[in-house]
Amino acid sequence: MRTVIYLPFALSLVFVGLSRLVCRRTSPRPAAWSVTVAMVLLAGSTVAALALLAWPLAARLPIVAHLGGWQPGAVNRGVPVPELVSFLASVALAAMATLVVRQALRFRDGLVAMSRMHADLAAPSGVAGVTGVAGVTVIEDHRPSAHALPGTLSRPGVVVVSSGLLDALDGDERAAMLAHERAHLTHAHRRFVVVAGLAAAMNPVLWPCPGDVTFALERWADEDAASRTSRTVTARALAKAALAKLSSVHERVNLGLALELGRLGAPERVAALLEPEPDRRRTVLVGLVAGLALVGILAIVWATRDTEHLFEHLQRH
């Protein structure tokens, strides 16, 4: 308990840098899965570590000591966790609980917004479906946009695309764009975003990682679209869609346009599509991510056993 209990915090710092590398150097599907699952395991191990560090503070309370069968003063002598550390761990747990609640409320608001959007699309307000394409709805808007609207309990998911974006793409590029958005719905990418966001709220050290997961999900959808059309067509559709969106905001192509393209991740995604398909055999980085998460879990198991033995010793003496 003296050292191993702090291991999840160190592993989280290492994971932040490794997450970006995995999501950009490996096949996007295993990258999204491995990083998301590892985030959950590291977040859980970090919360458990904080709970173990905070426990001696509660164990010093007379009523808790009486129920546990040890003397309150014995905790000061027998547990190698300073009272200040226990206090800070308790504060951190309270702060993380607040972040989790806020994140949950944010996702709830997202669900409400999705339900309203489904209701608006169902209303007869000038919205029309793409001819011959099921599950696609076109909105009359000159601003280029396309997104996958996840389904609700009463309505299936749908791809929503603006007429402005359809006008900017040719037939093959439209097929690639629709395949990309359908991939988000087919593979339930929204769930990855929700889980990664909650894990980052549980462990704020991991806060940059949901962005990496989002990038991997976009690359996953890109590869799915490329398998149904071609890598060149998908890259062209992505580039033209990004330029069309930015052109609707900027009057001309300038430095600001280049910065916006970088923020959207379009250059990296286009470059990846113009290269051969990612090597699925490159599993070293994915295995390293899984190894970090496993070490974090084992560290908590070890620290929990040490804590249990310490308090059993206090009960006997």
Side-chain angles (χ1 to χ4, degrees), residues 147-180:
H147 63 275
L149 181 61
T152 63
L153 293 178
S154 58
R155 292 185 175 92
V158 62
V159 175
V160 181
V161 59
S162 71
S163 57
L165 183 57
L166 291 178
D167 292 339
L169 305 177
D170 63 27
D172 292 338
E173 294 162 356
R174 290 177 185 177
M177 177 269 295
L178 293 176
H180 173 100

Side-chain angles (χ1 to χ4, degrees), residues 5 15 17 47 53 56 59 67 114 155 174 178 189 208 211 214 219 229 236 239 249 279 283 291 302 304 311 317:
I5 196 171
F15 180 79
V47 170
L53 289 171
L67 293 174
M114 285 191 296
R155 292 185 175 92
R174 290 177 185 177
L178 293 176
H189 286 172
T214 299
R219 285 281 301 113
T229 54
R236 193 170 67 238
V249 178
D279 189 354
T283 58
W302 190 350
T304 302
F311 279 89
H317 298 84

Side-chain angles (χ1 to χ4, degrees), residues 136-226:
V136 178
T137 300
V138 177
I139 56 176
E140 293 298 331
D141 191 345
H142 71 279
R143 293 170 298 182
S145 66
H147 63 275
L149 181 61
T152 63
L153 293 178
S154 58
R155 292 185 175 92
V158 62
V159 175
V160 181
V161 59
S162 71
S163 57
L165 183 57
L166 291 178
D167 292 339
L169 305 177
D170 63 27
D172 292 338
E173 294 162 356
R174 290 177 185 177
M177 177 269 295
L178 293 176
H180 173 100
E181 299 301 337
R182 281 203 191 92
H184 288 313
L185 297 175
T186 301
H187 304 299
H189 286 172
R190 173 69 179 174
R191 297 178 186 176
F192 289 83
V193 175
V194 172
V195 171
L198 290 175
M202 292 172 62
N203 183 355
V205 176
L206 303 177
W207 205 254
C209 298
D212 298 330
V213 172
T214 299
F215 180 84
L217 295 176
E218 293 297 329
R219 285 281 301 113
W220 183 352
D222 289 341
E223 293 294 332
D224 208 67

Side-chain angles (χ1 to χ4, degrees), residues 266-304:
E268 289 180 271
R269 290 167 55 196
V270 170
L273 285 167
L274 294 178
E275 296 176 354
E277 187 175 357
D279 189 354
R280 298 180 184 275
R281 296 172 297 178
R282 191 186 299 175
T283 58
V284 175
L285 291 175
V286 174
L288 187 56
V289 165
L292 282 178
L294 181 60
V295 170
I297 294 298
L298 293 177
I300 289 304
V301 172
W302 190 350
T304 302

